[in-house]
Amino acid sequence: MNNRYARLASWVYNLDKPVGRSFGDVEYYRQRLEPCRGPVLEPAVGNGRVFVPLLEAGFAMEGFDASDEMLAYCRDECRRRNLSARLTRQTFADFHYESAFSAIIVPAGSFQLVTDAASAKTVLRRFFDYLVPGGKLLLDLDPVSAFLEPAGSVRSWTTPDGDLLTLTEQRVETDCVAQTTLAHLRYDHWRDGRLLASELDLFKLRWWGVGEFSLFLRDAGFVDVVASGNYQHGRQPRKGDDSISFEAYRPA
């Protein structure tokens, strides 16, 4: 099952998580990338929430995403800031570049969109192959607890033109064997009480244990694997953390 941000989903994402909004990750990634002198790749770049600030900070960023709508937001923001962006429409499964990268970053749990364990292993190996010797992978995951709590909510946003966007989320399946959750996400666009458009996304994600994912990274060839809680590098993840960050290297 493919997760794809179409028009309304991308619109809501851009209103809720605009470029530059940080959950502690923008500062963390900038700090951890500081030693990198070559190009940096961000798969699943989205609207550029992390990508654009790093580009402004002087990193040689490149990115791809499976959603044309999300890429359009990223490109527009780069144009507004007079930034030159190297962005393409590609997927985790088939992305291709002519040269390797000093670092690859995957913020905000985007890797969890890869819901099959065998596919995840293949993607990690592709990341490995596209890093220069000594290159670094930085990747965030949501903790398992975030997937096991009951989920059901309605949220809303007002657009600059005064329209209303609503998101109704309902988790419909939790598969503890496959380690996946499936949610129905309904996006609605309203104007003066009239429904103008709707989208339904079948949104599937996979959760990972900290030790499990560390083993997957090592199996893909990575070394010096470090898991950190809440963007405090080297601090072991613990109960209550909102995010778990992994840092790993391709051997020099």
Side-chain angles (χ1 to χ4, degrees):
M1 181 179 298
N2 294 321
N3 299 300
R4 182 180 178 275
Y5 286 90
R7 189 180 73 86
L8 294 185
S10 299
W11 195 0
V12 164
Y13 188 98
N14 196 57
L15 288 172
D16 188 55
K17 301 177 181 69
V19 167
R21 181 179 179 185
S22 178
F23 304 99
D25 50 356
V26 174
E27 298 82 2
Y28 181 81
Y29 276 81
R30 181 171 179 174
Q31 179 193 45
R32 299 309 304 165
L33 289 172
E34 194 60 41
C36 297
R37 293 293 174 259
V40 177
L41 175 66
E42 183 180 352
V45 69
N47 68 334
R49 182 184 67 84
V50 176
F51 179 90
V52 174
L54 292 179
L55 194 59
E56 283 190 313
F59 294 99
M61 301 297 298
E62 298 191 36
F64 69 80
D65 202 280
S67 167
D68 287 322
E69 291 83 357
M70 292 291 262
L71 286 170
Y73 281 112
C74 190
R75 290 190 178 105
D76 286 346
E77 192 64 33
C78 288
R79 279 194 290 268
R80 277 194 287 271
R81 301 179 187 219
N82 295 315
L83 298 170
S84 177
R86 302 186 67 179
L87 298 165
T88 54
R89 186 181 185 279
Q90 301 191 74
T91 70
F92 281 124
D94 61 9
F95 72 89
H96 175 75
Y97 291 90
E98 296 298 329
S99 56
F101 297 87
S102 292
I104 295 175
I105 65 170
V106 192
S110 296
F111 186 77
Q112 291 166 285
L113 294 168
V114 184
T115 57
D116 175 73
S119 298
K121 184 177 293 187
T122 299
V123 174
L124 288 177
R125 185 65 203 190
R126 288 177 64 76
F127 288 166
F128 182 92
D129 290 341
Y130 273 99
L131 285 170
V132 299
K136 176 189 297 189
L137 173 67
L138 292 166
L139 188 150
D140 291 349
L141 297 179
D142 295 324
V144 174
S145 58
F147 294 86
L148 301 182
E149 299 168 354
S153 64
V154 180
R155 302 175 64 198
S156 64
W157 297 261
T158 301
T159 73
D161 295 330
D163 289 356
L164 181 69
L165 295 173
T166 59
L167 166 58
T168 304
E169 177 179 357
Q170 183 63 51
R171 185 173 297 161
V172 297
E173 179 184 281
T174 299
D175 187 333
C176 292
V177 175
Q179 298 176 208
T180 60
T181 59
L182 175 65
H184 289 179
L185 307 182
R186 174 170 169 160
Y187 299 88
D188 292 316
H189 178 196
W190 303 85
R191 179 178 298 159
D192 299 327
R194 292 184 298 109
L195 181 61
L196 301 182
S198 293
E199 288 175 2
L200 178 65
D201 279 359
L202 305 181
F203 200 72
K204 197 171 187 180
L205 295 171
R206 189 186 201 279
W207 73 76
W208 296 85
V210 174
E212 175 193 24
F213 196 72
S214 296
L215 289 173
F216 262 65
L217 287 168
R218 293 187 177 97
D219 188 58
F222 289 98
V223 297
D224 299 331
V225 177
V226 175
S228 307
N230 279 0
Y231 302 115
Q232 299 174 52
H233 181 70
R235 198 269 277 162
Q236 281 288 323
R238 57 184 180 230
K239 184 178 179 180
D241 284 346
D242 295 319
S243 182
I244 300 169
S245 301
F246 290 83
E247 183 172 309
Y249 292 82
R250 177 170 177 165

